[in-house]
Amino acid sequence: MFDNKNILITGGTGSFGKAFISYLLNHFTPNKVIVLSRDELKQSEMQEDPTYQKKCMRFLLGDVRDKDRLDKAFKDVDYVIHAAALKQVPAAEYNPSECIKTNILGAENVIEAAINQNVKKVIALSTDKAASPINLYGATKLASDKLFVAANNTVGFQDIQFSVVRYGNVVGSRGSVIPLFQKLVHEHAESIPITDSKMTRFWITIDDAVQFVVNAFSRMQGGEIFVPKVIASTISDLAKVIAPNIPHKVIGLRPGEKRHEVLCPADDSHLTIEFHDHFVIKPSIKCSKPVNYKNNPKNETGQEVEPEFQYDSSKALVSMDRLASYLSQSLSILETSRF
């Protein structure tokens, strides 16, 4: 579906953007793949990588806070993946205004530019922290999710769809706990810091995240939040898999952290539909265009979940062996472990 199309990725120099673009270049023949980001160094490094040295590649400096720049960048674009965000939970707690400007006002700018430039499909990447949020980052992403869902009611008869993909922690992404644990192993640290021995988190490999977003473009009808079925583990088990011979040191929760994360809240159970490998959360508002979310364009059929159903990380735990097997799919995640 991406052949001969113009695709733009905001925050395209990030972990997801680079992996998604690599997948596009290997499996499709797009007309243009446009990277929009504000970091000139990351763009320069990406341009020097042979993976991305293709005729279709375009690199544009810009910030989602700048609507005029988005209007220019979105010209003749068919599909947009909105991956740009401020994502560090403690940083958002200490710099709330900056997080709001990027994650909420930036989302609104993406929507307006997409409508102005007649983009066909927009998928915004979200996070489990947007479900029943307790920190500012999660709250801004919830607001962003609501903006993208509601955008489907502002387009009138214009042929454009907005949807959201929500998942948990990406294995090995920059700034996440796994590279930290690996770094400590290489440095022969005396202990591994654990915020809470009972803390749990959802995990998805970058390859699975990319494939899920690709599938979402085929499944989307506008207004839905897509949630993949993924694994979860305790942080303690994660540390044992990556650093089996190093003791743990409990350091306490950081500002804004939860013990457990949620992807499908119980309060949205009346809106949640289960498919074989994912969930769809329908819009809570009435859409101007009637949609049967139980059946998607890929001819997949879903069923409503039970009342009060909640998909949270404490109830999706897997064994350490299953966790190790899953992590081993991602590059050298387990190079220092028993594998």
Side-chain angles (χ1 to χ4, degrees):
M1 74 176 302
F2 298 107
D3 289 338
N4 303 313
K5 301 296 184 182
N6 297 331
I7 304 106
L8 182 145
I9 302 94
T10 70
T13 57
S15 300
F16 176 87
K18 292 172 70 175
F20 185 86
I21 292 168
S22 178
Y23 184 91
L24 281 182
L25 298 178
N26 286 330
H27 293 84
F28 299 94
T29 55
N31 183 51
K32 290 182 185 177
V33 177
I34 304 165
V35 174
L36 177 73
S37 71
R38 62 184 183 179
D39 192 322
E40 60 182 342
L41 175 60
K42 290 178 185 175
Q43 284 201 15
S44 176
E45 292 172 344
M46 193 170 173
Q47 291 179 68
E48 293 173 0
D49 188 331
T51 302
Y52 308 105
Q53 292 176 352
K54 309 293 183 182
K55 287 182 62 176
C56 63
M57 292 297 301
R58 303 289 188 276
F59 292 86
L60 301 180
L61 287 172
D63 196 313
V64 294
R65 297 184 186 187
D66 185 345
K67 183 178 175 298
D68 289 340
R69 180 55 170 157
L70 293 183
D71 268 330
K72 294 182 176 67
F74 283 23
K75 184 175 176 57
D76 298 326
V77 166
D78 298 294
Y79 303 141
V80 169
I81 300 96
H82 177 46
L86 293 180
K87 303 173 182 178
Q88 295 296 316
V89 171
E93 296 297 299
Y94 285 109
N95 304 275
S97 295
E98 297 304 304
C99 192
I100 289 168
K101 289 174 185 175
T102 295
N103 294 357
I104 299 178
L105 301 182
E108 193 168 30
N109 288 339
V110 168
I111 291 166
E112 291 185 13
I115 293 173
N116 290 345
Q117 296 300 330
N118 297 305
V119 173
K120 298 302 182 185
K121 292 186 177 185
V122 180
I123 285 183
L125 302 190
S126 187
T127 168
D128 47 10
K129 294 169 180 62
S132 304
I134 66 163
N135 53 58
L136 187 83
Y137 168 56
T140 60
K141 292 303 286 185
L142 174 61
S144 172
D145 292 355
K146 296 289 187 181
L147 285 168
F148 279 99
V149 170
N152 291 278
N153 276 347
T154 67
V155 298
F157 292 102
Q158 191 170 333
D159 184 19
I160 180 172
Q161 298 171 344
F162 296 90
S163 296
V164 175
V165 167
R166 175 189 291 171
Y167 48 70
N169 296 274
V170 177
V171 173
S173 62
R174 287 199 305 263
S176 68
V177 70
I178 290 177
L180 170 63
F181 286 174
Q182 288 184 297
K183 179 175 179 287
L184 293 173
V185 171
H186 285 298
E187 293 175 350
H188 305 288
E190 295 182 357
S191 63
I192 297 291
I194 302 293
T195 50
D196 187 294
S197 60
K198 295 182 179 180
M199 177 181 283
T200 61
R201 288 294 182 267
F202 287 110
W203 302 105
I204 186 170
T205 65
I206 191 69
D207 290 341
D208 285 350
V210 167
Q211 189 61 61
F212 189 71
V213 172
V214 169
N215 288 336
F217 270 100
S218 298
R219 290 167 168 160
M220 67 187 290
Q221 301 177 80
E224 63 275 78
I225 298 174
F226 292 99
V227 176
K229 292 182 179 179
V230 290
I231 69 168
S233 77
T234 65
I235 296 298
S236 295
D237 280 354
L238 178 73
K240 290 175 185 175
V241 167
I242 295 175
N245 300 315
I246 303 179
H248 301 169
K249 179 182 179 181
V250 177
I251 60 174
L253 297 176
R254 298 182 302 169
E257 275 195 318
K258 288 182 178 181
R259 280 187 172 81
H260 309 294
E261 296 289 3
V262 175
L263 280 168
C264 298
D267 288 334
D268 282 340
S269 61
H270 64 294
L271 301 170
T272 304
I273 302 169
E274 182 175 8
F275 290 81
H276 72 285
D277 66 346
H278 70 284
F279 299 94
V280 163
I281 302 176
K282 300 184 296 183
S284 60
I285 56 175
K286 185 177 181 180
C287 290
S288 55
K289 298 177 182 177
V291 176
N292 179 7
Y293 291 104
K294 288 185 180 180
N295 296 285
N296 65 36
K298 293 187 71 173
N299 294 318
E300 298 168 326
T301 301
Q303 300 293 328
E304 294 178 354
V305 300
E306 295 293 323
E308 304 304 314
F309 167 82
Q310 179 161 289
Y311 187 34
D312 70 66
S313 56
S314 67
K315 298 176 182 177
L317 299 177
V318 298
S319 68
M320 286 181 58
D321 286 342
R322 174 73 179 91
L323 175 64
S325 176
Y326 188 70
L327 295 182
S328 67
Q329 299 175 32
S330 293
L331 303 176
S332 57
I333 291 301
L334 294 183
E335 65 181 3
T336 55
S337 77
R338 53 186 150 169
F339 289 83

